[in-house]
Amino acid sequence: MVSAVTVLAAAAAASGAATVPIGGGTACPVNRTLFPPMSCPAGMTCKPAPDPNRFHCHEVSCNVCATCCHEMNATQCSSCVKTSCNAARFADYECCPEQGPCCKRGVPLPPSTSLKNCLLIGDSVTDGMAPLVTAKLKDVCQVQLYTDLTAGAELACFNTSGGQSALDVPIAWDVVHYNEGLHSLWPRVNTSDELAQWGQQLGAFTDLLKASPGRPSLVYATMTPFMPEKYLNPPGPPQSDVETKNALAVKTVQAHGVTRINDLYSVVTAHCGAVYKDCDICDDESAYHPEGKCGYHYVAAGWELLAESAATSIRDALSARSG
């Protein structure tokens, strides 16, 4: 049952009015107008967010929409930003404890009372496929997006950033589709000790998700390929950081009880080949690595391929949960 406080606070957020944090938190100044104001939990302070060093387009920043600044008109660019960019990218403020990482704003929408509630956690690839996943699941699930944190920060921030940004209230998720995305390749994790720490952080975050309100069903998604690391390491050998981390991640989450794996890496390589430089579903990122077109992101057909896989895995998890 949704409380009157929750309903009133949601209405205030939707109208742009200042919100009163629940539980003694601190209200932050109003952020960008695409999303409601945010608040911070008790014990955390609102501080100005640093420039995320992304490509800027029409006063917002989102790297999955970077090409729109020179390939799309303003209307098309704004549409891309509004549908494909994580709400955290629009936040002027973050929630900061006395020590430890600052946390990005929470998800923008209150939980649905008529549909299931599903959360996507990942990287800019997750950003890119999110609007399609949302559309594919609109009959069964309200999908929200929470991306761009590394494993170490996720542990400290999930209960803040995975809740309602305007209300400082956790959400009982039904399904969480998550991954340690391509952002976690840097700084490089090349030693056995560093990999072990990375795996331990992922395992601890998995346990946190399992124990979060709603006890959600979990789907782990592998990182998509980053083929330039196969040929951008001269004079050294090709690197296989993505493949190494995917193998460790799957082993780790399975050891922590996750049985559903959405192998996005294989979705892409099944279409493009085991090793490739150019593929019809890739965005043209040859400006950054002239030897090949393919890098991090995709064109519409690629986003569709990835979104279909994610939506199917979430729908299957919902079915099993209610069965």
Side-chain angles (χ1 to χ4, degrees):
M1 179 179 294
V2 179
S3 70
V5 172
T6 299
V7 171
L8 290 172
S15 68
T19 58
V20 178
I22 308 300
T26 304
C28 296
V30 174
N31 284 249
R32 300 188 191 278
T33 57
L34 284 175
F35 299 100
M38 66 180 279
S39 59
C40 292
M44 303 183 86
T45 304
C46 293
K47 293 185 178 180
D51 187 323
N53 195 27
R54 304 287 186 189
F55 291 88
H56 287 267
C57 186
H58 303 283
E59 298 185 352
V60 293
S61 57
C62 179
N63 62 354
V64 79
C65 291
T67 57
C68 75
C69 296
H70 55 80
E71 294 181 0
M72 299 179 181
N73 62 40
T75 300
Q76 290 171 320
C77 177
S78 296
S79 176
C80 175
V81 166
K82 289 178 182 178
T83 59
S84 299
C85 294
N86 178 12
R89 300 188 192 280
F90 296 91
D92 297 325
Y93 290 82
E94 297 176 332
C95 298
C96 301
E98 289 187 9
Q99 294 183 332
C102 292
C103 301
K104 298 178 185 296
R105 65 174 301 139
V107 297
L109 300 177
S112 174
T113 58
S114 58
L115 299 171
K116 301 297 184 182
N117 288 283
C118 301
L119 180 64
L120 297 175
I121 300 176
D123 55 8
S124 61
V125 174
T126 309
D127 285 342
M129 69 179 179
L132 293 171
V133 176
T134 301
K136 290 174 182 292
L137 295 173
K138 65 181 181 181
D139 60 316
V140 293
C141 184
Q142 176 177 273
V143 177
Q144 300 209 62
L145 177 66
Y146 163 49
T147 62
D148 210 31
L149 279 181
T150 59
E154 284 166 347
L155 268 176
C157 291
F158 178 74
N159 288 330
T160 298
S161 302
Q164 297 181 60
S165 62
L167 305 177
D168 184 23
V169 176
I171 292 176
W173 301 105
D174 293 285
V175 174
V176 176
H177 179 285
Y178 71 117
N179 83 331
E180 280 302 324
L182 289 167
H183 59 255
S184 72
L185 291 182
W186 288 271
R188 293 283 187 182
V189 176
N190 291 322
T191 71
S192 57
D193 288 345
E194 290 170 332
L195 281 171
Q197 181 183 32
W198 184 84
Q200 289 168 359
Q201 290 172 334
L202 175 57
F205 183 56
T206 298
D207 289 341
L208 176 66
L209 291 177
K210 288 170 60 179
S212 64
R215 300 297 190 271
S217 299
L218 303 184
V219 179
Y220 186 80
T222 56
M223 295 182 203
T224 48
F226 181 62
M227 288 298 163
E229 74 168 0
K230 303 297 186 188
Y231 56 85
L232 285 183
N233 192 37
Q239 297 198 5
S240 299
D241 290 8
V242 173
E243 294 79 8
T244 298
K245 280 194 164 182
N246 274 341
L248 176 57
V250 170
K251 179 180 179 180
T252 299
V253 299
Q254 288 179 334
H256 286 257
V258 176
T259 59
R260 297 181 179 276
I261 306 296
N262 179 21
D263 192 359
L264 294 178
Y265 184 95
S266 293
V267 168
V268 175
T269 55
H271 183 90
C272 295
V275 178
Y276 56 90
K277 292 185 178 181
D278 300 298
C279 182
D280 62 339
I281 65 171
C282 292
D283 185 27
D284 187 354
E285 298 177 9
S286 58
Y288 310 105
H289 31 76
E291 298 92 334
K293 180 176 78 171
C294 296
Y296 299 109
H297 298 138
Y298 300 89
V299 295
W303 296 130
E304 171 64 29
L305 198 64
L306 295 169
E308 182 62 27
S309 181
T312 297
S313 66
I314 293 171
R315 192 178 290 271
D316 289 347
L318 286 171
S319 297
R321 188 177 177 87
S322 61

